[in-house]
DNA sequence: GTGGTCTAGACCACA
DNA sequence: GTGGTCTAGACCACA
């Protein structure tokens, strides 16, 4: 991804946080999975190359490579000799809403646990979420 | 500890998940911090002993000890030779709502990121949260 | 590591005594702090890796790791993924003499208490200190 | 030691610091040894009872008791049924200066190590020691 | 009974 | 190669 394309800069496809306790390769895997489930990454879509990703997110190439390899092993990505990896046609065309709700459930549980221990109310959370959904990023 | 005995007993003070990517000692630290901020663990409260915690959550005592030591270094816990550690009197009397909202913000961001990538709507999240807030645990 | 090899090698950076009542990890923390305060360990300096330290001082790696982690929490050390930890740039550029004198004060008090109880005179102490300052180690 | 005697308050015989990394019973043992070696506690001197000491220094009686027992085992203290323990006649009547210098040596080494790492000079130490020797306590 | 320190050793994320 | 986490278990100081 060269400077020009970054200047135009559609918002980034993924959000990787090196400081997080969640390993970077895990963050990437989770995000690809979700975007495939929702159809935002339809079958056939080419992902950025390992090197592009590594440069874009200033992350070690082996980290990206590890995520891609695991997604390939899972059947979600497909290797194409000499060409970028693509979203596989055969698996999880499009998750049902129920399936996708299930994927978000762990985050809901973590949030509600924190909210309870902080003695916050449902309304507080609703407001924070509304605000966050409105943000660009 | 089977389900029946847990039902009879008081609900657990903390929720520790060994399978999580978040280290167990970090989970405990975060939860103590939040419950102190909300006043659910007021100054002077004695925490379960290292050994009790270790037994209750089937975790190694040194893991609990690590969390307690870090909380002591932070000033949140106070050592009492030969007696259980207690919530320190001097720090963070009671967090304001604004302070507590800030503590929950990272969880909100993680949830909203996941929801977007899964193409879920604000209403979906609101429903899941309402349901989760209603649960006993 | 026999005496000869130690003579040939650079003098050790730290002195860790497992037999002391002061925990090893505390000894290391104190020494790093002091050498940072005096500028003997300037910002950016790489510390020996956990494994090197453990081998050099024949101490368990987790003991070294504990010291490093606490120094990181304190802001004195900086983690560099996959690379050795370094002295953090941002904290305590260089302690003033007054600040450093304060750090040595507890040792002065312990020495003087002992000297008094042993009925030694100031001159005795001065002589011992002069001699010790002259030693290589 | 009743309130009256404390009001008159000769300076305390010992200095015990509960917060120190050195165990309290060790501190007491070291101090008794030194004062015996210097003749400040001559043979036959009665030490305060375990209870008096515990009250005076607000320390657990078992801690004092442990120190006394170890000093007795060492031959320095002598048990007298129903009466206070006394400094034993038979051992170490009076240490020579050389012997006493040897006892203070570890403190000299700790101080000089710290001073070197803090990049302090001999003169700095001499000044601090002179000041400390002048203090009442 | 309480917490603290340390070891030996396994396994993980990352460069 | 780097550091981080965790376990199992020993031993210690203190109440």
């Amino acid at each position: 991804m060269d400077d020009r394309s970054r200047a135009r800069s559609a918002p980034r496809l993924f959000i990787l946080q090196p400081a997080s306790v969640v390993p970077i390769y895990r963050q990437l895997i989770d995000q690809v999975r979700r975007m495939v489930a929702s159809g935002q990454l339809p079958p056939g879509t080419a992902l950025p190359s390992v090197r592009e990703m590594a440069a874009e997110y200033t992350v070690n190439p082996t980290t990206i490579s590890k995520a891609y390899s695991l997604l390939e092993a899972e059947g979600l990505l497909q290797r194409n000799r000499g060409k970028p990896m693509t979203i596989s046609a055969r698996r999880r065309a499009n998750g049902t809403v129920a399936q996708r709700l299930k994927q978000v459930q762990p985050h809901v549980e973590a949030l509600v646990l924190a909210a309870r221990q902080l003695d916050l109310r449902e309304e507080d959370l609703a407001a924070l979420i509304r605000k966050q959904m409105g943000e660009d990023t």
Side-chain angles (χ1 to χ4, degrees), chain A:
Chain A
M1 196 160 277
D2 66 337
D3 280 330
R4 241 193 305 105
S5 72
R6 275 165 64 193
R8 273 191 259 118
S9 126
R12 288 184 168 177
L13 201 51
F14 307 107
I15 295 184
L16 302 183
Q17 297 168 321
S20 163
V21 287
V22 184
I24 299 170
Y25 83 94
R26 268 260 125 239
Q27 296 178 43
L28 182 51
I29 287 177
D30 290 344
Q31 299 191 25
V32 172
R33 273 192 198 145
R34 292 191 294 234
M35 296 178 78
V36 168
S38 70
Q40 289 174 59
L41 289 178
T45 309
L47 286 188
S49 77
V50 167
R51 276 173 198 146
E52 279 171 356
M53 287 286 289
E56 172 75 4
Y57 295 95
T58 50
V59 153
N60 196 287
T62 57
T63 301
I64 305 295
S65 183
K66 181 171 187 176
Y68 279 11
S69 294
L70 286 168
L71 286 165
E72 186 199 6
E74 195 179 323
L76 243 159
L77 288 192
Q78 192 177 306
R79 261 206 162 84
N80 307 286
R81 295 233 147 161
K83 283 182 285 183
M85 296 186 84
T86 49
I87 303 297
S88 170
R90 56 189 179 85
R91 292 238 325 181
R92 300 201 221 177
N94 219 14
T96 65
V97 171
Q99 284 171 335
R100 285 182 274 143
L101 288 174
K102 210 168 153 188
Q103 278 188 69
V104 92
Q105 182 63 17
H107 288 102
V108 171
E109 288 171 13
L111 173 62
V112 168
L113 173 63
R116 269 195 187 132
Q117 293 177 331
L118 286 163
D119 204 22
L120 299 174
R121 292 162 312 149
E122 202 180 307
E123 291 75 19
D124 298 321
L125 296 187
L128 287 176
I129 285 169
R130 189 169 316 118
K131 183 157 173 298
Q132 187 67 28
M133 288 290 272
E135 306 271 321
D136 271 348
T137 306

